[in-house]
Amino acid sequence: EVAQAAGASSKADLERQIRTGRGAIDQILTVEQLQRLQQIMLRLEGPCLAIHDTHFAREMGLSREQQQEIASICRQVAMDIRKAIRPPMPGEDACTASLAIRTRVERKQLQRDVRIEGLLSQQQRDKLDRMQGPEIALEPMLPPPCRPSVAAE
């Protein structure tokens, strides 16, 4: 009961933060910019980011069972990702370690996405794809010393 109450409390806190954050962002961004931001966030984080958003669940037509299973997958993968992140071992190159962490995290995220897609109907997968918008290409997140330097012209 205590764990359930804590979960409900944290879900309410998350929903309040989403509403508050959206309110401030809505005042700054145009409708098109806000829509693209939502697409990018959904593309980067997948349904795990949006599973606590009632609008997302309604748009996707997710059943209560799907929502619960997706939330369970997201919790497990978040724990797996935390375990995958570790400081470099003594003598290990920090950049090599950062790339290895990135690879492990991306693998976990891909596994998460495949598992979640397996829970969705074809119609829901198509809807998710449309909601995510066009693909984006981002540079790998690496510590500054590991980023390739821009050649001076």
Side-chain angles (χ1 to χ4, degrees):
E1 290 179 16
V2 173
Q4 224 174 11
S9 174
S10 63
K11 182 177 178 182
D13 289 343
L14 178 63
E15 287 176 355
R16 187 172 48 258
Q17 289 173 356
I18 289 171
R19 282 193 307 275
T20 303
R22 278 192 184 155
I25 291 171
D26 285 350
Q27 294 176 3
I28 298 168
L29 300 179
T30 66
V31 172
E32 295 81 17
Q33 290 170 327
L34 181 60
Q35 181 181 13
R36 185 61 182 142
L37 175 61
Q38 290 169 336
Q39 290 173 343
I40 290 169
M41 290 172 61
L42 186 55
R43 184 158 292 281
L44 291 176
E45 297 297 326
C48 290
L49 175 70
I51 194 63
H52 297 290
D53 184 336
T54 55
H55 171 74
F56 172 80
R58 191 172 38 254
E59 278 289 309
M60 289 288 300
L62 296 175
S63 69
R64 172 60 79 199
E65 294 78 23
Q66 285 176 309
Q67 291 178 51
Q68 290 172 343
E69 186 64 26
I70 291 170
S72 175
I73 291 168
C74 294
R75 278 191 303 274
Q76 181 60 52
V77 170
M79 287 189 302
D80 292 346
I81 287 174
R82 280 192 292 276
K83 290 176 189 174
I85 298 172
R86 61 165 179 74
M89 301 298 283
E92 183 180 21
D93 178 66
C95 295
T96 302
S98 293
L99 286 171
I101 289 169
R102 178 181 165 84
T103 300
R104 287 192 301 272
V105 167
E106 287 175 345
R107 188 174 301 126
K108 297 290 182 191
Q109 290 170 329
L110 181 59
Q111 291 168 349
R112 171 203 66 201
D113 294 347
V114 167
R115 288 179 63 195
I116 290 172
E117 283 184 20
L119 298 173
L120 304 177
S121 68
Q122 184 60 51
Q123 183 180 10
Q124 289 171 319
R125 286 191 297 270
D126 293 343
K127 179 69 174 179
L128 177 60
D129 191 50
R130 284 191 302 277
M131 290 174 75
Q132 289 176 327
E135 289 278 345
I136 57 172
L138 298 174
E139 291 294 319
M141 291 180 57
L142 297 171
C146 303
R147 295 182 189 149
S149 59
V150 178
E153 294 181 19

